Amino acid sequence: MASQTLREARKYEEASEKLIKEENRPSFHLSTRTGWMNDPNGFSYYKGEYHLFYQYYPYDVHWGPMHWGHATSKDLLHWTYLPAALAPDEFYDMDGCFSGNAVELPDGRQLLMYTGVVKERQKNGGVSEVQTQCLAIGNGLDYEKYEKNPVLDEHDLPEGGSRFDFRDPKIWRKKDGTYCCIVGNRSSDGSGQILMFTSPNGFEWKYKKVLCANNNRFGLMWECPDFFKLDGKWVLLTSPQDMMPQGFEYHNGNGTLCLIGNFDEETDSFTEECSQSIDYGIDFYAAQTVLSPDGRRIMIGWMQNWDTCSLRTRDQQWYGQMSLPRELSIKNGRLYQWPIRELENMRSGKTVYENVVFTDIIRLDGIKGRKIDMEIELFPIDGEELYRKFAIRFAQNEKYYTSLSFRPRESILKIDRKFSGSRRAIIHQRRNLVKSENGRLKFRMILDRFSVEVFVNNGENVMTATMYTDLAADGISFFVDGKIGMNITKYEL
Ligand code: FRU
């Protein structure tokens, strides 16, 4: 039986979602049913459809005591909201049901593992949040919290592990029927570590080891880990806080990290081989993956960043959306991402331009819109000096635009939303070093009203950003300093 707190949230969301017009939300990216959304949670395939839960505060467009919102989909693009799944209503989670994951039990029930948060007054007068791992069992609609919660607390931590930074479990079932989970934690060196725990049945848990230690290399605390096998390698995804830039690879603040390596399943040892950002844009965090029934590893992230949450409109009725679901693969030691192939079923109204050669600025008939899927190839012109800069401006009218620009000599691709209508002094630009030879570059960009996701060189680099520009700004124009050639294939979505 749902608690009073959960029933209230369910009643509230049902009434208040009606106040948000469909056309004022993203069309195929999942946005919050109402109020606030952050991390994806419990991304899973259960009883014939995908389930996606999310960090949720229904009552305001700002973060508050965390609930779990819930939605399902058959193709990860058309979503149905279900009633909120969890509310902060127990002594061990009364200040929030933080991020976590889901797994199916052999008897067909779904097990959610999440972080329970309780505020504790400290000797110095301040307040810290104690974090433990908890379970809830359900049928895809209603969930019952486990009577023995929490199942992991400070007594299960290795020496020096902080009980205040111990969150975001990722759980999976192994081939032998036992369970494993990994959880983000802060170690005595002040930075993050990923802890591994094991369980015979999903309910009784034991500490196993440190799967991977940050050792102050990539930011401090590591949030929202995920760990899986992909193309013969093992991949650890995490979202580090308090990052510092390393060249063009990582940026300041909350970032994303992908470690690729090998995992010895006998000894549970992970050996890192290479590292990279997951996303090189501005708004992507807390990624989670699911394995689709046909064997694809699909990732989704919160399409925002803690450091830029003040970018919003004054009358915004919802805040928070997920990225596109992205199919993952590994090529030459790099993580590649590509929009989930189901998106191609949503395409209509194809417009093609080949060998458009231009100087200065052009607009092209049929090339505009805020819900589009567009592939562009840039190339230099034989016998001409290499162009100095190319830019595409979109979500554009007389007043506003967001741009993606490329300088072939430096091989830098830049996203810039300075002129998107923002009135805040936050990060509006990000630059990314991409692979290109002699001014050739290929990218695919997806717009869904309030966001742009750019997949460069078949998914070798991805840049994501939100922009809350008035939807009437739907123009697209092209600029070049020099002379350039371009092929375009564009669809409406
Ligand atoms: C990451 C995060 C998680 C936490 C959740 C709280 O964005 O800080 O570590 O579980 O958000 O909403």
Side-chain angles (χ1 to χ4, degrees):
M1 171 68 174
S3 69
Q4 170 86 1
T5 322
L6 184 59
R7 275 182 308 182
E8 265 168 28
R10 287 178 165 192
K11 217 164 108 191
Y12 183 85
E13 63 184 0
E14 216 187 307
S16 61
E17 79 172 338
K18 299 198 180 87
L19 307 174
I20 307 170
K21 290 205 187 97
E22 279 304 306
E23 60 270 26
N24 291 335
R25 308 173 163 269
S27 130
F28 49 90
H29 288 74
L30 180 69
S31 54
T32 188
R33 186 169 180 185
T34 184
W36 163 278
M37 162 195 276
N38 58 290
D39 315 353
N41 292 159
F43 195 16
S44 52
Y45 191 81
Y46 178 66
K47 287 193 183 160
E49 47 187 1
Y50 293 98
H51 285 249
L52 185 60
F53 304 80
Y54 52 92
Q55 289 286 279
Y56 182 36
Y57 186 60
Y59 304 109
D60 196 356
V61 288
H62 295 274
W63 192 87
M66 282 289 111
H67 297 56
W68 274 34
H70 191 185
T72 52
S73 174
K74 291 227 183 280
D75 64 358
L76 294 169
L77 298 166
H78 298 85
W79 293 96
T80 308
Y81 290 114
L82 296 188
L86 301 177
D89 52 15
E90 290 286 349
F91 70 91
Y92 49 78
D93 65 13
M94 60 194 189
D95 291 308
C97 300
F98 276 19
S99 285
N101 212 272
V103 77
E104 184 170 342
L105 293 167
D107 64 9
R109 293 177 302 164
Q110 194 179 35
L111 183 69
L112 308 182
M113 193 174 202
Y114 68 98
T115 299
V117 175
V118 178
K119 288 190 179 146
E120 185 191 76
R121 175 126 341 250
Q122 304 302 300
K123 286 201 188 85
N124 66 6
V127 172
S128 294
E129 294 177 338
V130 178
Q131 305 187 330
T132 60
Q133 313 319 315
C134 305
L135 301 173
I137 307 103
N139 59 4
L141 184 63
D142 293 304
Y143 295 83
E144 198 79 43
K145 290 180 184 169
Y146 182 45
E147 71 270 12
K148 292 192 190 148
N149 277 344
V151 293
L152 285 171
D153 64 16
E154 57 191 284
H155 306 290
D156 302 292
L157 290 171
E159 209 185 320
S162 165
R163 63 195 190 101
F164 303 123
D165 284 302
F166 178 36
R167 59 181 175 273
D168 310 336
K170 158 81 187 193
I171 178 173
W172 70 94
R173 190 155 172 252
K174 302 213 299 192
K175 278 199 201 88
D176 65 6
T178 66
Y179 296 77
C180 226
C181 81
I182 54 169
V183 188
N185 182 229
R186 194 188 290 268
S187 66
S188 49
D189 71 5
S191 77
Q193 58 184 356
I194 303 299
L195 305 179
M196 182 178 247
F197 300 86
T198 55
S199 166
N201 51 18
F203 293 88
E204 286 138 25
W205 290 90
K206 255 209 196 98
Y207 171 69
K208 180 80 194 241
K209 68 186 304 185
V210 174
L211 177 71
C212 185
N214 182 359
N215 295 321
N216 279 296
R217 292 172 298 158
F218 304 102
L220 298 176
M221 172 67 185
W222 281 0
E223 300 189 304
C224 303
D226 196 349
F227 189 55
F228 50 87
K229 194 172 181 180
L230 182 67
D231 296 335
K233 292 282 168 195
W234 281 79
V235 178
L236 179 64
L237 304 181
T238 183
S239 295
Q241 297 179 307
D242 305 295
M243 297 270 274
M244 288 195 284
Q246 293 178 21
F248 287 105
E249 194 55 49
Y250 303 104
H251 58 75
N252 310 66
N254 284 82
T256 55
L257 173 67
C258 168
L259 296 171
I260 301 173
N262 294 308
F263 182 58
D264 181 337
E265 292 183 71
E266 294 292 302
T267 58
D268 289 323
S269 309
F270 178 57
T271 28
E272 295 169 33
E273 282 178 346
C274 29
S275 56
Q276 62 171 95
S277 285
I278 304 175
D279 195 285
Y280 295 85
I282 309 174
D283 299 297
F284 189 86
Y285 197 68
Q288 269 199 5
T289 68
V290 69
L291 195 60
S292 68
D294 60 3
R296 289 173 288 162
R297 181 58 64 176
I298 300 170
M299 178 182 73
I300 209 160
W302 180 39
M303 194 155 58
Q304 296 294 344
N305 185 297
W306 288 110
D307 293 321
T308 54
C309 288
S310 58
L311 184 71
R312 50 173 78 207
T313 54
R314 293 179 79 174
D315 53 356
Q316 198 148 333
Q317 292 167 299
W318 56 273
Y319 188 84
Q321 51 179 322
M322 296 297 166
S323 73
L324 262 185
R326 303 170 181 178
E327 293 180 16
L328 302 183
S329 59
I330 294 185
K331 285 176 208 135
N332 307 319
R334 258 196 90 77
L335 182 75
Y336 275 65
Q337 304 168 49
W338 198 242
I340 187 175
R341 65 193 66 164
E342 284 81 346
L343 186 67
E344 289 157 36
N345 302 331
M346 291 182 65
R347 288 170 167 175
S348 66
K350 185 175 183 180
T351 309
V352 178
Y353 283 93
E354 264 165 31
N355 284 310
V356 181
V357 175
F358 73 103
T359 55
D360 209 15
I361 292 174
I362 56 161
R363 284 168 201 276
L364 297 166
D365 275 352
I367 304 290
K368 65 179 183 111
R370 289 285 284 269
K371 280 200 307 159
I372 61 167
D373 180 347
M374 181 158 66
E375 265 186 45
I376 299 187
E377 276 176 279
L378 306 177
F379 50 88
I381 306 299
D382 281 348
E384 298 274 347
E385 199 195 334
L386 181 62
Y387 64 95
R388 285 167 290 281
K389 179 183 169 185
F390 163 86
I392 169 171
R393 293 177 175 174
F394 51 94
Q396 182 179 26
N397 62 8
E398 316 71 55
K399 216 165 159 190
Y400 305 122
Y401 65 86
T402 296
S403 72
L404 184 73
S405 60
F406 180 59
R407 289 184 181 275
R409 289 151 213 254
E410 293 94 43
S411 218
I412 296 285
L413 189 65
K414 182 171 93 175
I415 188 116
D416 186 345
R417 61 176 178 193
K418 205 168 49 235
F419 301 110
S420 67
S422 165
R423 293 178 192 274
R424 299 272 71 85
I426 55 168
I427 286 284
H428 290 115
Q429 303 179 342
R430 190 141 283 144
R431 290 182 299 164
N432 180 210
L433 189 62
V434 295
K435 276 212 198 100
S436 103
E437 253 169 59
N438 192 31
R440 289 183 177 278
L441 191 73
K442 197 165 114 180
F443 58 89
R444 176 174 172 194
M445 57 194 285
I446 314 286
L447 301 188
D448 183 10
R449 295 193 176 128
F450 306 105
S451 64
V452 56
E453 288 162 278
V454 184
F455 299 82
V456 188
N457 294 333
N458 302 316
E460 189 179 32
N461 290 49
V462 186
M463 299 181 87
T464 301
T466 55
M467 70 273 174
Y468 293 99
T469 316
D470 183 348
L471 289 174
D474 67 349
I476 294 180
S477 63
F478 302 91
F479 161 92
V480 71
D481 179 359
K483 195 170 188 181
I484 196 171
M486 176 169 82
N487 295 329
I488 303 179
T489 307
K490 180 227 148 190
Y491 302 88
E492 314 274 322
L493 289 173

